[in-house]
Amino acid sequence: MARKLKTYQTSLGFFDLAIAAPSMKAALEAWGADSNLFHQGAKESHDPDVIATTMAKPGAVLRRPVGTDRPFSEHAELPTDLGGGGPTKAARKSKGPKAKKPSSRPVDKAAERKAALAFEKEQKRRQLEQAKEETARQKDRERRQQAIDKAQAALDKAEQEHAKRAVIEAELEAFEKRSQAEKARWHKEKERLEATLRRARG
């Protein structure tokens, strides 16, 4: 059975984030947080406007420029006033008692169920997207590894061929030295024999 959704808010980087999720854990997963943001200021929202916006798109991470009271949306622009030294008056007002006031709207059980089911659908879509991305990354890793293996095999083969040629060159060099030594020996031997022949002829 689908669990009842709550709206959670936090600030991360340049944006305030909001989401309708069944639990803090689910909100953290959707935000992609690697630490517990609820120990750092994240909280359940009781702002009726924020709740209505997130419940209309359960499971979707909605954003607005940090420190503003603009409406949340899936594609928020970056904040334009980053050097102002703090939140605007409107932003400070939005964090006052009005933001804490619980919704006076009547609880619509059918709408809650619909929102919870929509959250589960969005969560499954996100998980499927993450699985596709991981599959693509794995294929890319495998392609890179195949290219590395192929290049390494070519290098190994070239090194083996070079080693063989180096042996042949060393053998040729040794043969050349032996050939030169034999020429020198024969030259001396020939001179000695010719001298002996000349003496015999008188």
Side-chain angles (χ1 to χ4, degrees):
M1 181 177 168
R3 294 164 63 189
K4 182 179 176 182
L5 301 184
K6 295 179 181 179
T7 294
Y8 298 101
Q9 265 185 262
T10 191
S11 292
L12 201 60
F14 294 116
F15 297 102
D16 290 333
L17 307 179
I19 188 170
S23 66
M24 291 179 179
K25 183 182 176 186
L28 289 171
E29 287 175 2
W31 289 334
D34 54 6
S35 62
N36 189 344
L37 299 178
F38 289 95
H39 291 169
Q40 303 165 23
K43 61 186 179 185
E44 182 181 345
S45 176
H46 298 287
D47 184 321
D49 295 330
V50 176
I51 292 170
T53 303
T54 56
M55 290 298 178
K57 293 186 176 181
V61 178
L62 304 181
R63 296 173 173 80
R64 71 180 177 194
V66 70
T68 69
D69 59 351
R70 294 184 193 171
F72 283 95
S73 67
E74 289 187 81
H75 307 289
E77 294 180 2
L78 284 167
T80 53
D81 185 19
L82 292 176
T88 62
K89 288 180 183 176
R92 284 196 292 272
K93 283 181 187 174
S94 72
K95 293 181 181 179
K98 182 186 172 194
K100 297 275 184 183
K101 190 165 62 177
S103 174
S104 58
R105 298 175 188 173
V107 177
D108 184 344
K109 297 290 183 187
E112 276 187 3
R113 280 196 301 276
K114 185 177 178 184
L117 290 170
F119 172 84
E120 288 181 1
K121 184 178 178 183
E122 173 65 18
Q123 193 175 38
K124 285 176 184 172
R125 183 198 66 77
R126 194 163 46 240
Q127 287 169 349
L128 184 64
E129 194 173 292
Q130 288 170 349
K132 283 181 181 176
E133 287 172 0
E134 181 53 36
T135 300
R137 282 194 294 270
Q138 182 62 32
K139 284 183 179 176
D140 188 48
R141 282 194 293 269
E142 288 171 1
R143 276 196 299 271
R144 277 202 305 271
Q145 190 58 50
Q146 286 174 356
I148 289 167
D149 293 344
K150 186 176 179 181
Q152 185 64 51
L155 176 60
D156 293 345
K157 184 179 178 184
E159 284 178 343
Q160 288 169 2
E161 288 176 357
H162 172 69
K164 286 177 186 175
R165 288 195 186 104
V167 168
I168 292 168
E169 285 172 5
E171 288 174 351
L172 283 172
E173 194 174 323
F175 181 78
E176 183 65 27
K177 284 180 181 176
R178 288 198 302 273
S179 176
Q180 287 173 359
E182 175 59 22
K183 282 179 183 176
R185 186 200 66 75
W186 167 242
H187 183 68
K188 286 179 182 177
E189 179 70 8
K190 185 180 178 185
E191 282 183 348
R192 187 182 66 77
L193 293 171
E194 284 177 345
T196 302
L197 179 60
R198 281 195 298 273
R199 282 196 300 274
R201 283 176 178 170

